[in-house]
């Protein structure tokens, strides 16, 4: 059985025929040149067919799958949805880094709330949600450095005297519950849990577990929750009576507060 002709063999044959054809043309042997030219065309056609077979057999290299980049507002939305309470940018970044892919840059959070308010004023409720500030329970003005989701009820977005601690404990519980679902080597998530545990009496130490952090956080939360809920509910009622449009999301402005005080 003869050896199958490969594309490399055809390339060597073509090189040889071209050399012989050049010599025949140089010596004036027209009959030999005609025969060699016909053989060369046949070899070149065979080379074209062999190349086509190789292209048909070749499988395209798998292309890397690139996940679409999330916008900064989507990244913040993910972190706040996990926490379920208003949070400062530093905590939002820590939660995002611990549980979600990609990088959330602190500098880009600076103008985020202003951009969201500007978008709302241009097209009210044109988006499924807005990133807005928490509102202070006394003045119903934007709480400095706290972001919330517009889809949350007012009782959640308003913060009173006890709300900082209550929201910290709720966040600790939510983080602990998420960490409990992750493998042991989820180091970033566990480091975040340890940071929460360090500020919860009895939760620190070598035997820290997500379950123990959640249990101790819940025990302290039970002490403050009723009073904080009452403060927030009262503030939410006042907000519903006094605020409308963008103010219900982004807070009453200082000028309006001064006008209200002067009328009083």
């Amino acid at each position: 059985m003869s050896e199958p002709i490969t594309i490399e063999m055809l390339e060597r044959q073509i090189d040889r025929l071209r050399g012989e054809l050049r010599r025949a043309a140089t010596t004036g042997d027209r009959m030999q040149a005609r025969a060699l030219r016909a053989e060369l065309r046949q070899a070149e056609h065979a080379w074209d067919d062999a190349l086509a077979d190789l292209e048909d057999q070749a499988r395209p290299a798998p292309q890397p799958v690139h996940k679409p980049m999330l916008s900064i507002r989507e990244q913040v939305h993910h972190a706040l949805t996990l926490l379920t309470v208003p949070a400062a940018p530093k905590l939002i970044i820590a939660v995002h880094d611990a549980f979600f892919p990609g990088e959330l840059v602190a500098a880009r959070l600076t103008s985020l709330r202003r951009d969201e308010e500007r978008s709302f004023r241009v097209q009210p409720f044109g988006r499924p949600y807005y990133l807005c500030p928490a509102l202070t329970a006394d003045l119903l003005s934007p709480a400095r450095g706290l972001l919330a989701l517009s889809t949350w009820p007012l009782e959640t977005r308003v913060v009173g005297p006890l709300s900082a601690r209550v929201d910290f404990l709720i966040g600790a519980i939510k983080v602990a519950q998420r960490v409990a679902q992750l493998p042991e080597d989820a180091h970033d998530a566990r480091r975040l849990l340890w940071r929460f545990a360090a500020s919860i009496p009895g939760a620190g130490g070598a035997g820290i577990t997500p379950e123990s952090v959640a249990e101790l956080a819940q025990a302290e939360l039970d002490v403050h929750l009723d009073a904080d809920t009452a403060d927030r509910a009262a503030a939410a009622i006042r907000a519903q009576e006094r605020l409308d449009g963008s103010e219900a999301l982004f807070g009453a402005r200082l000028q309006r507060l001064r006008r209200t005080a002067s009328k009083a």
Side-chain angles (χ1 to χ4, degrees):
M1 183 179 295
S2 60
E3 181 182 356
I5 299 176
T6 65
I7 194 168
E8 291 83 1
M9 295 170 64
L10 288 169
E11 289 169 349
R12 289 194 294 270
Q13 183 182 6
I14 290 171
D15 290 339
R16 177 180 59 78
L17 290 171
R18 284 174 176 169
E20 293 178 359
L21 177 59
R22 185 172 59 255
R23 286 191 293 272
T26 302
T27 59
D29 191 344
R30 295 184 178 181
M31 291 186 59
Q32 178 69 5
R34 192 180 302 115
L36 289 171
R37 188 175 288 111
E39 189 177 353
L40 176 60
R41 283 197 295 269
Q42 185 178 1
E44 288 174 339
H45 288 320
W47 184 89
D48 289 337
D49 293 340
L51 182 63
D53 290 341
L54 285 177
E55 291 174 343
D56 291 339
Q57 295 170 8
R59 295 182 179 180
Q63 298 297 316
V65 178
H66 297 288
K67 293 184 178 180
M69 293 288 292
L70 293 179
S71 67
I72 182 173
R73 67 189 307 270
E74 290 174 307
Q75 292 174 311
V76 173
H77 181 268
H78 286 172
L80 287 173
T81 299
L82 187 150
L83 290 168
T84 72
V85 290
K90 186 176 181 179
L91 177 57
I92 290 171
I93 292 171
V95 169
H96 177 272
D97 290 347
F99 295 105
F100 302 106
E103 182 182 7
L104 183 54
V105 182
R108 296 177 62 194
L109 289 174
T110 304
S111 60
L112 181 60
R113 188 189 64 77
R114 292 195 299 272
D115 295 340
E116 291 288 288
E117 184 173 2
R118 190 180 302 114
S119 173
F120 182 87
R121 291 183 182 279
V122 171
Q123 188 179 5
F125 301 105
R127 294 175 169 179
Y129 65 88
Y130 290 86
L131 304 174
C132 55
L135 306 181
T136 60
D138 51 355
L139 299 177
L140 303 178
S141 60
R144 185 176 179 83
L146 286 178
L147 284 174
L149 294 179
S150 63
T151 51
W152 292 345
L154 265 171
E155 290 85 347
T156 301
R157 293 190 286 113
V158 173
V159 292
L162 296 173
S163 299
R165 187 60 183 174
V166 166
D167 289 349
F168 172 86
L169 294 169
I170 292 175
I173 294 170
K174 296 299 181 181
V175 167
Q177 291 172 344
R178 179 62 68 90
V179 172
Q181 300 171 354
L182 299 178
E184 291 290 333
D185 60 354
H187 301 303
D188 290 341
R190 292 188 175 274
R191 276 194 292 269
L192 178 60
L193 180 64
W194 296 335
R195 288 168 55 186
F196 273 100
S199 298
I200 301 173
I208 177 176
T209 64
E211 293 76 15
S212 65
V213 173
E215 182 179 352
L216 290 168
Q218 184 64 55
E220 184 182 348
L221 179 62
D222 291 340
V223 175
H224 306 298
L225 187 58
D226 288 345
D228 180 64
T229 300
D231 289 342
R232 283 174 140 162
I237 292 173
R238 287 190 290 108
Q240 289 169 347
E241 294 172 348
R242 301 180 186 181
L243 305 182
D244 55 17
S246 65
E247 288 185 339
L249 295 182
F250 299 97
R253 294 301 174 196
L254 182 59
Q255 292 83 351
R256 173 166 175 169
L257 294 173
R258 286 172 175 168
R259 288 197 301 268
T260 304
S262 64
K263 290 178 181 178

